[in-house]
Amino acid sequence: MEATATAPAPPRLRSIKLWPPSHSTRLVLMERIVKNLTTPSILSRKYGLLSKEEAEEEAKQIESSAFATANLHFEKEPDGDGGSAVQLYAKESSKLMVEAVKRGPTANGVEEVVSEPPATAEGENVFFDISGGRRAFIEEEEAKELLKPLTHPGNKYSKICFSNRSFGLDAAHVAAPILSSLKGQLTEVDLSDFIAGRSEADALEVMTLFSAALSGSELRCLNLSNNALGEKGVRAFSQLLSSQHNLEELYLMNDGISEEAAKAVCELIPSTKKLKILHFHNNMTGDEGAIAIAGLVKESPLLEDFRCSSTRVDSEGGIALSEALGTCTHLKKLDLRDNMFGVEAGVALSKSIPVFVNLTEVYLSYLNLEDEGALALVNALKDSACKLEVLEMAGNDISSEAASALAALITAKKQTLTKLNLSENELKDEGAMVIATALEDEFARLTEVDLSTNAIKRAGARRLSQAVVGKPGFKLLNINGNFISDEGIEDVNEIFKGVPGILGPLDENDPEGEDYNDDEDDDDAENGGDNEDELESKLKDLEIKHED
């Protein structure tokens, strides 16, 4: 007798709550705020760059204020998924970051008030910025009033920032002749986020007007980020791009740079021989687009800072980029995070590492490297002459098999290493203890170690804690999201008893982790266990709009 098939159970619905964020997510946001506040940008050139210490204090206040605002918003609509609260959290943080930059650094603990742009030796302002205040449309009459200083005869403005204001056609017709009259003196132009909310037809016409007005200028820095350019937008800027022979900094972040758009960029820019900074973060470039960008990179021998993170690049594109980077002997900072490079691209990149003698920061998280790709890169970095300060290789399925090589790299760079992030891997106790042994050595500048979400238990947590607890200047050990027993948590809390604030939160630790399996993963997802991933994705691109 044939058995009757049982109907499959209906799929379980997942109720995802994005708010509130966990303590560790809030710490991650603060790290990003600090990075934004301490990274040179057009605004920082005007108001001054904050020190790491000042930025850390600002970050705490910014995050706390943004959280309070977003939380109040969420409490008014508690039945929602928290998505609007997350958006408000990011928006408020961004606004407060801009305000912090504009307050400028302090001198001897007294805030330095900057009431006007810096001046040249002749006493003339050089920086013109209308990005402050609320993000809003700008139309004809307001444009006339705002841009009036640019029309004064003999002005010395060489840097302009129109970010955060959305230009309509009437306003663009006001701005275009003014910009055209200045193009012989302009060296830095920030047009990031300057067409938000406009129809495609109007946006393209505005971009074409600005492009024609600025064509022939000899810019050192050009920022066209956050404009959803796509290929049409890139080609709308064809007159401007094709006239640039001396660019040192080019920013095309969050611009919808597809394969076709990437090819258009490479086709239009006549020379990148002087290019030092190239950022393509958060686009949909893909393999073919990455291959096009690789051609541009290969023609940029002076490149110091290359960012091609979150661009949907797979193995083929990753290999092309890795090989092209082998010509960039001046590289100091490399950020390829959140792509699908895989093992082969990781190995290809390792072959270019020896030429990066000036490399100080390398961000290789979420690249699907696995042990083979990670080992190739780690060994190459260990043997290189670079003075490595920041190493991030989170989320690469790295197991304890690679721990000895990682420990050797850590030891080799102990005089310069400041930050180590190996979170979301599979190091477990065995790997954690090998790395802890390396960390027991004396480090001149180490401030942060992150081995969260590595299936570490009590023994590994104890060893890591003991390795870093007495280090001068050390600020954070993150071992959250592991499998530490209640006794283990008591142990590490006792180790850090005399030095509060250094041990990160342990609110996501799972003492029962030894029984973790796929079924339990599914149950966790049903109960919102993966909410932080979605929340993180909403916050990961937080940055000052005028940032490089």
Side-chain angles (χ1 to χ4, degrees):
M1 180 175 174
E2 185 174 337
T4 303
T6 304
R12 291 178 294 183
L13 296 177
R14 295 169 60 186
S15 176
I16 295 178
K17 290 286 187 180
L18 299 176
W19 193 265
S22 70
H23 186 67
S24 62
T25 297
R26 296 179 66 182
L27 285 176
V28 168
L29 179 64
M30 281 190 274
E31 288 178 18
R32 291 175 183 141
I33 294 172
V34 169
K35 183 176 180 181
N36 274 306
L37 294 178
T38 55
T39 300
S41 65
I42 289 178
L43 275 184
S44 70
R45 294 187 190 108
K46 172 181 176 181
Y47 298 104
L49 195 63
L50 273 65
S51 68
K52 183 75 177 294
E53 292 72 21
E54 289 173 312
E56 288 172 347
E57 285 303 313
E58 288 282 3
K60 291 177 184 177
Q61 296 177 28
I62 289 170
E63 190 282 331
S64 178
S65 176
F67 178 84
T69 300
N71 200 50
L72 184 63
H73 170 83
F74 179 71
E75 288 174 355
K76 293 178 181 178
E77 49 176 35
D79 295 331
D81 68 355
S84 61
V86 171
Q87 292 175 357
L88 182 59
Y89 185 40
K91 182 178 179 181
E92 189 71 11
S93 296
S94 183
K95 182 190 78 171
L96 294 173
M97 280 195 292
V98 172
E99 292 176 2
V101 171
K102 290 188 173 182
R103 284 195 297 272
T106 60
N108 299 320
V110 180
E111 186 171 304
E112 178 184 344
V113 179
V114 182
S115 57
E116 60 182 28
T120 64
E122 292 79 20
E124 295 288 346
N125 294 329
V126 298
F127 187 81
F128 182 80
D129 180 12
I130 62 170
S131 64
R134 63 188 181 88
R135 188 168 182 255
F137 280 13
I138 177 173
E139 304 300 344
E140 182 177 5
E141 291 306 314
E142 186 181 4
K144 289 178 180 178
E145 185 62 30
L146 278 176
L147 305 184
K148 189 180 294 183
L150 295 176
T151 66
H152 293 163
N155 75 75
K156 301 294 183 181
Y157 289 112
S158 60
K159 307 174 185 180
I160 60 169
C161 179
F162 286 0
S163 180
N164 202 44
R165 305 301 300 271
S166 178
F167 280 75
L169 282 173
D170 289 342
H173 280 292
V174 171
I178 297 174
L179 292 176
S180 183
S181 70
L182 296 174
K183 63 184 177 184
Q185 66 193 56
L186 292 176
T187 60
E188 298 185 17
V189 170
D190 185 342
L191 297 179
S192 59
D193 193 23
F194 85 121
I195 51 164
R198 304 294 179 179
S199 69
E200 180 181 285
D202 284 357
L204 290 172
E205 190 170 346
V206 169
M207 289 187 281
T208 301
L209 284 168
F210 274 75
S211 174
L214 291 166
S215 175
S217 55
E218 295 187 7
L219 301 182
R220 188 194 69 81
C221 174
L222 177 60
N223 190 344
L224 299 177
S225 300
N226 301 303
N227 286 315
L229 296 176
E231 184 186 6
K232 291 181 181 179
V234 170
R235 295 199 180 277
F237 275 109
S238 60
Q239 286 183 264
L240 173 58
L241 291 173
S242 61
S243 68
Q244 299 307 303
H245 295 268
N246 297 305
L247 276 180
E248 295 180 19
E249 302 179 24
L250 177 61
Y251 305 98
L252 293 167
M253 300 184 290
N254 194 30
D255 267 335
I257 301 295
S258 61
E259 170 191 336
E260 294 78 13
K263 289 178 178 178
V265 170
C266 300
E267 168 197 326
L268 291 169
I269 296 178
S271 174
T272 56
K273 296 295 184 185
K274 296 184 179 180
L275 200 63
K276 295 181 179 179
I277 300 177
L278 177 60
H279 284 194
F280 271 97
H281 169 70
N282 196 32
N283 286 298
M284 48 186 184
T285 312
D287 272 355
E288 293 300 319
I291 291 170
I293 294 169
L296 190 149
V297 169
K298 194 175 293 185
E299 297 300 318
S300 307
L302 299 182
L303 198 62
E304 296 178 359
D305 180 349
F306 180 58
R307 185 179 187 186
C308 194
S309 50
S310 302
T311 47
R312 307 185 187 181
V313 178
D314 215 312
S315 180
E316 185 180 2
I319 291 171
L321 284 173
S322 298
E323 292 175 348
L325 284 165
T327 64
C328 302
T329 58
H330 296 269
L331 200 66
K332 296 179 180 178
K333 181 178 177 181
L334 178 61
D335 187 347
L336 299 171
R337 284 174 287 189
D338 192 22
N339 286 299
M340 290 298 292
F341 274 32
V343 172
E344 290 185 15
V347 172
L349 181 59
S350 72
K351 295 176 182 177
S352 294
I353 293 288
V355 307
F356 305 152
V357 294
N358 298 307
L359 191 66
T360 58
E361 299 180 36
V362 58
Y363 301 90
L364 303 174
S365 297
Y366 310 107
L367 291 178
N368 199 30
L369 296 173
E370 302 180 15
D371 279 342
E372 184 180 349
L375 279 168
L377 285 161
V378 166
N379 288 327
L381 286 166
K382 174 181 69 71
D383 295 335
S384 81
C386 72
K387 296 181 179 179
L388 196 62
E389 296 176 8
V390 177
L391 173 64
E392 290 198 8
M393 297 184 75
N396 277 305
D397 295 321
I398 303 173
S399 76
S400 58
E401 297 285 327
S404 295
L406 283 164
L409 169 59
I410 292 165
T411 300
K413 306 300 178 182
K414 65 182 180 182
Q415 293 303 315
T416 56
L417 193 64
T418 62
K419 180 178 178 180
L420 174 67
N421 184 351
L422 299 172
S423 63
E424 296 185 54
N425 283 301
E426 297 291 335
L427 290 167
K428 301 185 178 179
D429 264 9
E430 181 182 354
M433 287 191 279
V434 171
I435 290 169
T437 300
L439 291 172
E440 288 170 354
D441 210 339
E442 291 185 11
F443 283 74
R445 301 173 56 195
L446 189 65
T447 62
E448 183 175 336
V449 172
D450 188 343
L451 268 80
S452 57
T453 317
N454 264 286
I456 297 170
K457 298 182 182 177
R458 180 181 185 181
R462 281 179 55 88
R463 286 290 301 277
L464 286 167
S465 300
Q466 291 165 341
V468 301
V469 67
K471 295 192 181 304
F474 192 81
K475 295 180 179 178
L476 177 66
L477 172 66
N478 186 0
I479 49 174
N480 205 2
N482 283 302
F483 301 158
I484 310 168
S485 65
D486 292 338
E487 294 80 5
I489 290 177
E490 291 179 7
D491 290 345
V492 296
N493 280 326
E494 182 64 28
I495 290 169
F496 286 97
K497 185 176 182 180
V499 280
I502 292 179
L503 178 64
L506 295 169
D507 56 319
E508 296 179 359
N509 179 64
D510 180 11
E512 306 300 324
E514 62 271 16
D515 297 323
Y516 226 61
N517 57 43
D518 291 340
D519 290 337
E520 288 175 338
D521 280 344
D522 290 340
D523 290 338
D524 281 350
E526 183 180 20
N527 294 314
D530 61 352
N531 299 352
E532 288 303 318
D533 291 338
E534 187 162 342
L535 191 152
E536 284 278 356
S537 72
K538 289 180 177 286
L539 295 176
K540 72 177 181 179
D541 297 324
L542 178 70
E543 59 188 21
I544 300 173
K545 291 296 183 184
H546 342 279
E547 266 280 304
D548 63 324

